[in-house]
Amino acid sequence: MRFRGNAHFASAVGLVLGLLCAAEAAKVNKHKPWIETTYHGIVTENDDKVLLDPPLIALDKDAPLRYAESFEVTLTKEGEICGFRIHGQNVPFEAVVLDKSTGEGVIRAKDKLDCELQKEHTFTIQAYDCGEGPDGANMKKSHKATVHIQVNDINEYSPVFKEKSYKATVIEGKKYDSILKVEAVDADCSFQFSQICNYEIVTPDVPFTIDKEGFIKNTEKLSYGKERMYKLTVTAYDCGKNRASEDVLVKISIKPTCKPSWQGFNKRIEYEPGTGSLALFPSVHLETCDEPITSIRADIELETNHIGKGCDRDTYSEKSLHKLCGASSGTVELLPAPSSSANWTVGLPTDNGHDSDQVFEFNGTQAIKVPEGLVSTSLKEPFTLSVWMRHGPGAHEKETILCNSDKTEMNRHHYSLYVHNCKLILLLRQDPAEAENYKPAEFHWKLDQACDKEWHHYVLNVEFPTVSLFVDGTTFEPFLVTEDYPMHSSKIQTQLTIGACWQDNSGHDNDTESVSEPTSGGNARMAQFFRGNLAGLMIRSGKLENKKVIDCLYTCKEGLDVQLPEEVASAVKVEFNPNQSSMTVEGDDIDAFDKVMQHISYLNSRQFPTPGIRHLRISTTVKCFNEESCVTVPDAEGYVMVLQPEEPKISLSGIDHFARSAAEFESQEGVTLFPELRIVSTITREVEADAESEAAEGADDDPTVQETVVSEEIMHNLDTCEVTVAGDELDGEHEGLELDMSQLQQHGLEMSSSNLGLVVTGVNTMANYEQVLHLIRYKNWHTEALFDRKFKLVCSELNGRYISNDFKVEVNVIHTTNPVEHANNAMVQPNFINPVHHASVDLSGHNLVNAHQASVVPSAATVVIVVCVSFLVFMIILGVFRIRAAHQRTMTDQESGKENEMDWDDSALTITVNPMETYEDQHSSEEEEEEEEEESEDGEEEDDITSAESESSEDEEGAEPEDQQAASRQQQLEWDDSTLTY
């Protein structure tokens, strides 16, 4: 019972203790966990562990007590830390408990962090315990602590330059502190790795250096002549010693020391004929080195003095040019181009180096006399005198251009134009009048143009007592007019000369020269010789030249031109000289000035301009605010190269051989020489062959040929067509060339003729020249001894610059005769004019005119007939003389003499027939291909001749045995056979 009692006691004690423990346990989780209020952490970009300061540890006062070892104690969760909670949006961190009992934990990154995106993170964190009971109910949370985490950078990026390349321009001869700055950046987030610590020039041996800030400067003075541009390669390093991913190129241009000048000026400008205006300075710019400019003046000069007579003009004859410019009729050309109708300038030296621009040279020893009757100017009437002259400073003697003086005895100068000490002087003596009063006699003009060795155009309008002078279209008044008495009346004839004055026994040997033509009354001499060049010397009587005509004669076909842009037209002033070979541009705005200069152009309106160089110069004057430091702009010089124009080839074609009856030559109309003449002008060009055609023809053609030559017909004017006779000159008594003057005047052309032929002149179209040449007729009133006549036609353009081919025409005369019966058949002329069976017959290679086909005789046949007839007559006469000689030797036998005389007659006839037989053989060989009927007729003719020959032979053979004297006579005839030509 006692034992049992003890057992019940023990159970009671355990129960009491359990209740006590349960009550105690209900009080354990009454404290919150505790953590620090602030944490600072560091994390590296490529790591997820965060180093916190202080470490993350949570404490809880509810942590269990450890009882005595005699008790078995079961630990509860109330004192343990179950976790940490992070508060914030998109926080890339998480907190993890390492030991629940000690409350130790860590913070780590969920993913890899990027410092470049976010360097710092801030959020809050709480710790919580495990709560009560097995299910953790009634857990306690700590306060919220602030966590600051900094993301440490790694050097993952290299420096990158801000620009792909750098450019700079420096002036030579200067040393710069800084030329330009290069700059690189680094994408790393940290100061250490994102900073550029160093720049370096990689290119070796260059006179440049770069500092840590990226500034480049030169280490020595640079020279434009040594190097115009430097190319440098530059790299950069960050503070982590990473090199730039790509180096950068730096271009440093060296500019010569700033010198005011024209920039963008091309020295050579090529001009293609026929292309219109060509801009001379399309990219020009005036560099003034930033000086303050107040005004700019530029003089542009196109030098054309070496082209023709001062510039490019049409090179027609002066008479044609006057007509083209609208001058009145009555013009007399005193210095024409040498021709069959104007030959007094033949021996005068000419300058033909300017594409047939007719210029005559006078060297102080040459002069010419103008034919009598060419000039019939009355000094009482108005008249015009014009001339082109180039004259330099000469001696102090008078130099005569034109002079009209007495032929003999008195040596009076009626009128003259001369140069003396750079003065142009016109002497104009009046004819005798009722009133013997002083009248103006000499007009003096002092002109620089008279001695500057340049071409100038002089026009003197004379309307006594006033004289007007135009030089290059500008009017000049005489500075001195002297008076004199009128000349005394005289019947002495006058002589008009050019280049000197005609004098009779002047006695001045130093300035005179004898001429080959003596005159009565003493030795004729030339005096006051001219030294220089003359051209286009003209006299026109009756009407004065107006200013419009004068300007037209002087105006050049080439020159400068400008089309002013509207926006700068009011800001710039532009002026031209009369022939537009120079111009002046003035303004105060550089930009506007440049635009005007860029619109200046060269224009040549000629269809065939004179090729060659035209020098070009720009002279510039600049005014500044501070005149002491004003800039000086040097002249800009270049040249315009006018390329060679495509030269035309003038071709004359038509019927070049025909025959007409003598009656037509003697008729009133005559024979038309060029009925089907055609004038065509072509140019030849080289064009590149088409690629496909080259491929197709490559097997047959030369593979080296790259171009194809093609001809193209063009239209242009003609100024001269000359018809000359070949052989003997025309005899005006019985033959001549005629042309309808009304038709000629209707086309605005003129004609001159001589015993050498006919010349048609005037600037007109090829079609009009064709029509006029179709009308030229040849007439001959005595055609008995005429068998043919040959003529040559040549046409030209621009005063002989382009000349056509020689078109030769041969005209045969057909003589019709009445048949006469002869006793001997050998004397009958064969009938060469047979009925024509074909539509056209080609004889001796000549094409016959269809309209007269039935009456045509071939030239070869005509010649053979004439030769045969002449030879026949000659042999008959020779035979008669031989017969008479033989008759004198045989006077003793009259009867034998008569027989011998008959024998001689037979032999003569036999010899005469032989050349005709030869012709028949040739004629029959030419007619081999004719019809059989014609061949039979020819055969009959040959048979007739052969029969006559055979009969004569039989008579000779029968005569030999009759008489011994006849045999001896036959031996004497053997010499005649040797003289015959077969």
Side-chain angles (χ1 to χ4, degrees), residues 108-127:
R108 60 189 180 190
K110 296 178 181 178
D111 296 313
K112 289 185 177 180
L113 300 176
D114 191 347
C115 176
E116 287 71 32
L117 294 178
Q118 190 171 349
K119 293 183 180 181
E120 295 183 351
H121 297 270
T122 302
F123 53 88
T124 58
I125 189 172
Q126 275 184 315

Side-chain angles (χ1 to χ4, degrees), residues 175-411:
K175 202 169 182 180
Y176 290 84
D177 294 333
S178 175
I179 297 175
L180 78 159
K181 180 183 180 181
V182 298
E183 186 176 0
V185 294
D186 196 308
D188 287 316
C189 64
S190 64
F191 179 81
Q192 177 184 5
F193 299 140
S194 64
Q195 293 300 307
I196 306 300
C197 285
N198 190 28
Y199 291 94
E200 181 182 346
I201 297 176
V202 180
T203 306
D205 301 328
V206 290
F208 297 95
T209 185
I210 188 170
D211 60 15
K212 293 182 178 181
E213 301 299 325
F215 291 99
I216 298 176
K217 63 181 181 180
N218 55 320
T219 58
E220 61 184 44
K221 293 181 179 180
L222 304 175
S223 172
Y224 178 79
K226 182 179 178 180
E227 191 73 39
R228 297 187 178 185
M229 176 183 288
Y230 288 92
K231 295 181 179 181
L232 314 177
T233 302
V234 178
T235 191
Y237 295 90
D238 61 19
C239 294
K241 297 185 179 181
N242 266 8
R243 181 173 175 169
S245 57
E246 290 186 6
D247 298 338
V248 71
L249 178 64
V250 179
K251 296 180 181 180
I252 300 178
S253 300
I254 312 303
K255 186 178 180 181
T257 303
C258 185
K259 298 176 182 178
S261 62
W262 287 102
Q263 305 292 327
F265 178 85
N266 293 327
K267 290 187 177 182
R268 177 185 171 96
I269 303 114
E270 290 188 354
Y271 181 79
E272 183 74 27
T275 56
S277 296
L278 174 66
L280 296 176
F281 323 113
S283 305
V284 77
H285 165 68
L286 179 59
E287 176 61 57
T288 59
C289 296
D290 299 329
E291 288 288 340
I293 304 299
T294 58
S295 66
I296 310 169
R297 174 190 171 98
D299 296 310
I300 300 95
E301 182 180 1
L302 181 71
E303 295 183 4
T304 59
N305 296 334
H306 61 291
I307 304 296
K309 297 187 290 289
C311 65
D312 208 3
R313 296 181 175 90
D314 284 331
T315 55
Y316 295 119
S317 67
E318 198 68 21
K319 193 172 184 179
S320 297
L321 291 174
H322 276 68
K323 193 170 185 179
L324 288 174
C325 289
S328 57
S329 59
T331 300
V332 178
E333 191 170 5
L334 301 181
L335 284 176
S339 66
S340 58
S341 59
N343 58 3
W344 64 89
T345 59
V346 170
L348 198 61
T350 60
D351 180 5
N352 292 324
H354 301 303
D355 295 284
S356 299
D357 197 0
Q358 196 67 53
V359 174
F360 295 93
E361 181 180 353
F362 295 83
N363 61 7
T365 62
Q366 299 99 348
I368 58 173
K369 295 190 296 182
V370 179
E372 293 183 9
L374 187 67
V375 178
S376 58
T377 302
S378 174
L379 301 183
K380 295 180 180 179
E381 299 178 356
F383 70 94
T384 300
L385 179 65
S386 64
V387 65
W388 285 93
M389 182 178 71
R390 178 170 61 185
H391 181 262
H396 296 292
E397 302 167 358
K398 294 180 180 180
E399 298 182 48
T400 301
I401 301 170
L402 179 69
C403 179
N404 187 30
S405 59
D406 289 338
K407 268 192 175 182
T408 58
E409 300 178 3
M410 301 184 70
N411 293 333

Side-chain angles (χ1 to χ4, degrees), residues 30 78 105 147 185 219 233 286 313 349 379 400 483 539 541 578 637 650 692 701 728 742 808 899:
K30 62 180 179 179
E78 288 81 0
V147 179
V185 294
T219 58
T233 302
L286 179 59
R313 296 181 175 90
L379 301 183
T400 301
E483 296 181 344
I539 284 185
S541 60
E637 296 184 355
I650 305 172
E692 296 181 359
D701 297 341
D728 297 336
S742 62
K808 297 180 180 179
E899 293 176 357

Side-chain angles (χ1 to χ4, degrees), residues 65 198 231 390 456 494 539 558 695 791 915:
L65 296 175
N198 190 28
K231 295 181 179 181
R390 178 170 61 185
H456 298 284
T494 60
I539 284 185
E558 66 176 340
F791 299 91

Side-chain angles (χ1 to χ4, degrees), residues 556-621:
C556 295
K557 293 293 185 179
E558 66 176 340
L560 301 173
D561 192 19
V562 64
Q563 299 293 331
L564 291 178
E566 295 182 0
E567 63 271 16
V568 299
S570 60
V572 178
K573 180 181 177 182
V574 179
E575 293 181 350
F576 289 90
N577 71 334
N579 63 356
Q580 290 192 278
S581 63
S582 65
M583 61 182 296
T584 301
V585 182
E586 293 184 84
D588 54 8
D589 183 86
I590 294 181
D591 293 336
F593 200 88
D594 287 346
K595 286 185 179 180
V596 172
M597 294 293 294
Q598 291 167 6
H599 284 78
I600 295 176
S601 59
Y602 169 79
L603 175 64
N604 194 316
S605 60
R606 294 189 65 192
Q607 185 177 9
F608 306 108
T610 303
I613 291 176
R614 279 78 163 160
H615 289 282
L616 194 63
R617 179 184 295 107
I618 303 178
S619 303
T620 311
T621 303

Side-chain angles (χ1 to χ4, degrees), residues 499-733:
C501 257
W502 179 264
Q503 296 188 173
D504 176 51
N505 194 17
S506 63
H508 299 285
D509 295 335
N510 58 341
D511 62 350
T512 63
E513 183 173 308
S514 298
V515 295
S516 59
E517 181 182 351
T519 60
S520 61
N523 294 326
R525 296 175 180 271
M526 290 286 188
Q528 302 173 5
F529 285 94
F530 180 78
R531 295 172 178 83
N533 296 96
L534 297 177
L537 181 57
M538 308 283 293
I539 284 185
R540 176 179 292 103
S541 60
K543 291 185 180 180
L544 299 178
E545 294 282 21
N546 57 46
K547 185 66 165 57
K548 184 177 180 181
V549 174
I550 295 173
D551 290 341
C552 175
L553 292 171
Y554 175 70
T555 301
C556 295
K557 293 293 185 179
E558 66 176 340
L560 301 173
D561 192 19
V562 64
Q563 299 293 331
L564 291 178
E566 295 182 0
E567 63 271 16
V568 299
S570 60
V572 178
K573 180 181 177 182
V574 179
E575 293 181 350
F576 289 90
N577 71 334
N579 63 356
Q580 290 192 278
S581 63
S582 65
M583 61 182 296
T584 301
V585 182
E586 293 184 84
D588 54 8
D589 183 86
I590 294 181
D591 293 336
F593 200 88
D594 287 346
K595 286 185 179 180
V596 172
M597 294 293 294
Q598 291 167 6
H599 284 78
I600 295 176
S601 59
Y602 169 79
L603 175 64
N604 194 316
S605 60
R606 294 189 65 192
Q607 185 177 9
F608 306 108
T610 303
I613 291 176
R614 279 78 163 160
H615 289 282
L616 194 63
R617 179 184 295 107
I618 303 178
S619 303
T620 311
T621 303
V622 178
K623 293 184 179 180
C624 308
F625 288 103
N626 184 5
E627 294 186 359
E628 294 181 358
S629 61
C630 196
V631 297
T632 301
V633 180
D635 292 350
E637 296 184 355
Y639 61 92
V640 177
M641 172 59 76
V642 178
L643 302 179
Q644 179 74 35
E646 295 172 331
E647 297 191 0
K649 180 182 179 182
I650 305 172
S651 301
L652 308 180
S653 61
I655 300 174
D656 59 357
H657 193 181
F658 57 90
R660 295 288 186 271
S661 65
E664 292 189 45
F665 286 91
E666 297 175 355
S667 67
Q668 185 67 26
E669 291 77 14
V671 174
T672 302
L673 290 182
F674 313 107
E676 297 184 17
L677 175 69
R678 187 157 186 267
I679 305 175
V680 177
S681 183
T682 57
I683 57 174
T684 302
R685 294 178 177 174
E686 291 185 354
V687 297
E688 294 183 0
D690 184 66
E692 296 181 359
S693 62
E694 285 185 358
E697 300 174 2
D700 299 330
D701 297 341
D702 186 356
T704 61
V705 177
Q706 300 294 330
E707 296 180 341
T708 303
V709 178
V710 298
S711 294
E712 178 182 345
E713 184 174 344
I714 64 170
M715 301 301 295
H716 58 77
N717 292 330
L718 297 176
D719 62 356
T720 303
C721 280
E722 183 173 6
V723 181
T724 56
V725 61
D728 297 336
E729 297 180 358
L730 295 173
D731 188 347
E733 294 183 358

Side-chain angles (χ1 to χ4, degrees), residues 857-887:
V857 175
S859 178
T862 302
V863 173
V864 170
I865 292 172
V866 173
V867 172
C868 291
V869 171
S870 301
F871 191 77
L872 178 62
V873 173
F874 171 76
M875 293 304 301
I876 291 174
I877 295 172
L878 180 62
V880 171
F881 279 111
R882 295 294 297 170
I883 290 171
R884 288 182 179 179
H887 181 67

